[in-house]
Amino acid sequence: MSAPDPTLLSLNVATVRTQWSLEQAIEGCARHGIGWIAPWRDKLAECGLARAKALIKTHGLKVSSLCRGGMFPAADDAGRRAAIDDNKRAIDEAAELGAACLVLIAGGLPKGSKDIAGARAQVKDGIAALLEHARAARLPLAIEPLHPMYAADRACVNTLEHALDLCDALGAGLGVAVDVYHVWWDPDLAAGIERAGKRILGFHLCDWLVPTTDLLLDRGMMGDGVIDIPAIRRMVEAQFYAGPREVEIFSQNNWWKRDADEVMRTVKDRYASAT
Ligand code: ZN
């Protein structure tokens, strides 16, 4: 297998979210020779869309994704409509930035609900309601299945198989984001990646720590955990995925507490040695 291509490394801004603004992250990528960036919408709003776009252009970066849209299920019609309206704004922002895709997280159960099948139906309806807008903007939507531990509160789409069933049902303009943190445990991972084929729109990197001390905010740096990342890279590259690889690490007790330039150096080193 070839070495990881340094020109495909992308910084998901969540990796340095406590240390840096979007502007600092853009400058940091340029300083460290990282050619891609994936902003989150809260940081984008702080910076301002036009200003972010200009800074990204000035520094010669490309945008691997905008994080994130989705979160479709709601307790009532007004809530569902609000989610769709917000997703349309996210599509417009992603298109304005020239992002390769908008990442969609399904959303979990509405407050008080125990109806996970109903929540999943709402996700399907929500994505269906966005597709025309996304196609018109030429902006691919990447459904990112999340690990099942988030089914209640973040995403009730938990496997590549489920995400691909949605793609099959809803048609063009949709694909998947493969995040090693969310899919590494799946006994059907190889089959899912093969089934995804050209619909792989994003590839996200971090590691699964043992023990994991927080369900959300204890992701590891590549090489520090138990995920065989090169094996998963081999699977996505076998499907001719040649797009960016986003390093996305939420780490409240470790990487978010370190000097951000040290984090960037480590990201580059580990991308080369452990992915
Ligand atoms: Zn991800």
Side-chain angles (χ1 to χ4, degrees):
M1 188 169 73
S2 57
D5 182 345
T7 68
L8 295 176
L9 175 58
S10 179
L11 176 75
N12 186 299
V13 175
T15 304
V16 286
R17 68 159 296 125
T18 62
Q19 299 100 319
W20 279 350
S21 66
L22 180 55
E23 180 170 358
Q24 289 173 301
I26 291 166
E27 291 166 356
C29 283
R31 193 163 63 246
H32 289 271
I34 293 176
W36 295 79
I37 193 165
W40 279 63
R41 289 185 73 205
D42 56 344
K43 296 263 183 192
L44 181 61
E46 280 169 26
C47 183
L49 180 59
R51 181 166 164 70
K53 184 182 176 184
L55 286 165
I56 286 166
K57 188 173 177 209
T58 300
H59 290 282
L61 303 184
K62 289 176 280 191
V63 179
S64 54
S65 73
L66 178 65
C67 293
R68 57 180 161 57
M71 306 303 264
F72 298 102
D76 55 27
D77 277 347
R80 287 186 281 275
R81 271 199 303 275
I84 288 164
D85 289 345
D86 188 52
N87 274 282
K88 287 181 178 171
R89 286 191 290 275
I91 288 168
D92 295 342
E93 292 166 12
E96 184 68 18
L97 289 177
C101 62
L102 173 68
V103 169
L104 294 184
I105 303 297
L109 294 167
K111 201 169 165 44
S113 170
K114 296 184 180 183
D115 181 9
I116 194 162
R120 287 173 171 153
Q122 290 187 35
V123 171
K124 186 175 178 182
D125 291 345
I127 296 172
L130 288 182
L131 264 176
E132 205 173 312
H133 193 85
R135 287 172 187 151
R138 297 180 182 280
L139 197 278
L141 303 177
I143 304 171
E144 182 170 337
L146 298 198
H147 189 283
M149 67 180 168
Y150 303 115
D153 61 348
R154 280 176 199 278
C156 58
V157 174
N158 308 105
T159 61
L160 268 179
E161 187 178 22
H162 185 181
L164 290 164
D165 286 346
L166 290 166
C167 294
D168 284 348
L170 298 172
L174 268 182
V176 294
V178 176
D179 186 323
V180 298
Y181 196 72
H182 297 304
V183 302
W184 72 278
W185 58 273
D186 185 346
D188 297 322
L189 177 59
I193 288 176
E194 195 175 337
R195 180 181 164 200
K198 292 210 177 321
R199 294 177 292 186
I200 299 170
L201 299 175
F203 184 39
H204 299 178
L205 305 175
C206 66
D207 214 334
W208 186 281
L209 298 176
V210 179
T212 291
T213 59
D214 186 280
L215 292 186
L216 185 63
L217 303 177
D218 190 32
R219 293 190 186 198
M221 182 64 68
M222 299 82 73
D224 287 344
V226 296
I227 303 177
D228 187 346
I229 301 172
I232 303 177
R233 175 163 77 91
R234 220 172 291 136
M235 293 177 203
V236 301
E237 289 181 350
Q239 300 308 314
F240 304 102
Y241 178 75
R245 293 97 211 269
E246 258 176 47
V247 173
E248 184 184 33
I249 300 173
F250 310 139
S251 171
Q252 65 184 353
N253 291 322
N254 187 357
W255 299 103
W256 284 355
K257 290 193 167 164
R258 300 198 191 204
D259 173 72
D261 284 300
E262 179 201 344
V263 177
M264 298 290 273
R265 284 191 293 275
T266 309
V267 162
K268 285 185 73 176
D269 288 350
R270 297 296 186 83
Y271 175 72
S273 66
T275 77

